[in-house]
Amino acid sequence: MKSGAAWLVSATQAQIDEFLTGLSDHALAALPWIFEFWAMPHQLPPEGAWRTWLIMGGRGAGKTRAGAEWVRSIVEGLRPDDPGKARRVALVGETQDQVREVMIFGDSGLLACSPPDRRPSWNATRRMLIWPNGAEAQVFSAHDPDSLRGPQFDAAWVDELAKWKKAEDTWDMLQFALRLGENPQQVVTTTPQNVAVLKAIMRNPSTVMTHAPTEANRAYLAQTFLDEVYRRYGNDIRGAQELEGRLIEDVDGALWTMAMLDKARGPKPERVNRVVVAIDPPVSGKENADECGIVVFGAITEGSPQSWKGVVLEDASVRGSATDWSRAAIAAFHRHGADRLVAEVNQGGELVAEMLRQVDPLVPLKCFHANKGKTARAEPVAALYEQGRITHLPGLQKLEEQMCQMSRHSYMGKGSPDRVDALVWAVSEALLEPARRQIGDPRVRSLY
């Protein structure tokens, strides 16, 4: 269903003129303040009985405006002095300053969203907004959960809960305070982070959710901002969270975590000593088969093996026929001036080598059979990440998402971890195996 704003963008000038001419003077004056006309779908409250409306979105996706307009909708009556559905609202942010500067006085805050005859007044002494009809909204900081002991409310707006230091305590205190009226409700507007309190809210059956990426609100964002953030973060796991508004969870016993991968980010080194392209072919060579994992890895093997490092240069994984992934792998090999192509042949046998040789008969190719499980193969590679010896360049979002789903027990994601398998083979061939051969240390375990 299109919003009024979307309709205006696609309508002809004649249609717009007809629409505006048909409005009375009062309706025309009120139109800028009718949020239902301008809102995007994720900014409108879901239907049905719910206690918590969770709005998760990327940076600049319009979450603050949605929260402010929801508060307006429940405190305002038909006329300025008429009561609304709620009279006592809690406004909770990370700090009181952030509540005041973002939720109240911000460009999308309560004062900016309110029409002149219904605009609340700010009482700085009481840290409170007061509407013409007597409704009140009180400010609270997540740094002081106990400040929510005593007061009681029939509604609450919670902003950026996922980054609060005392999120769980503050959330719990708010639930005890939200006890007035027949159906006290709360809205949470946040960019997701992998924190327990947010995941608990998502699992609660009384929670409803809407979601939108940063891109959804592009009409109200600077194009230079969009170009820059999507260029820098659009293809890594942080971008999935900060721009797409998707929650990326660390699984129990994860071999890699978001925090670990954040620390791995760095610039491309000036030079690498050896580049390996690794392939993890799908079981089937058909076009609708699983993805073929293709990862390019550069090794820096100067000094003793204990100081060797590496960098993931590219995730070139593709979905397609055997011809498609063979061409993609060979193209990655030449694009990076690689020294060797390695491929697992458990599934495809000699066909894998045959397909690659058809594309480039002279490519230096090493084929191998895996005789250990995926987790056993991945653990020594994860250890290198823990030691800070592997760097990630931009553009590895899908690989990183798979990595965060790999636990010490099994792969917890959907499908097969083809990208992770390819990464493991590449790091093994470029770093672990040469180190094992040179120092003969049994702790540098062979993956073969």
Side-chain angles (χ1 to χ4, degrees), residues 5 8 10 19 24 33 70 83-84 126 147 200 223 226 248 301 323 335 339 343 345 394 409 418 420 436:
L8 285 176
S10 59
F19 168 71
S24 66
W33 310 103
W70 177 77
R126 299 178 64 194
S147 65
Q223 185 60 47
L226 291 169
I248 307 300
T301 54
T323 300
R335 186 161 59 246
D339 299 284
V345 295
H409 312 292
D418 307 292
V420 177
R436 183 189 66 82

Side-chain angles (χ1 to χ4, degrees), residues 192-194 236-242 246-251 254-265 400-401 403-404:
Q193 293 188 33
N194 186 33
D236 63 33
I237 198 168
R238 182 60 65 188
Q241 178 174 280
E242 300 294 330
R246 291 192 285 121
L247 177 63
I248 307 300
E249 298 187 60
D250 295 334
V251 301
L255 292 179
W256 291 276
T257 66
M258 281 191 63
M260 188 188 301
L261 295 178
D262 280 341
K263 291 180 181 178
R265 305 193 199 293
E400 291 173 346
E401 288 187 30
M403 293 171 72
C404 287

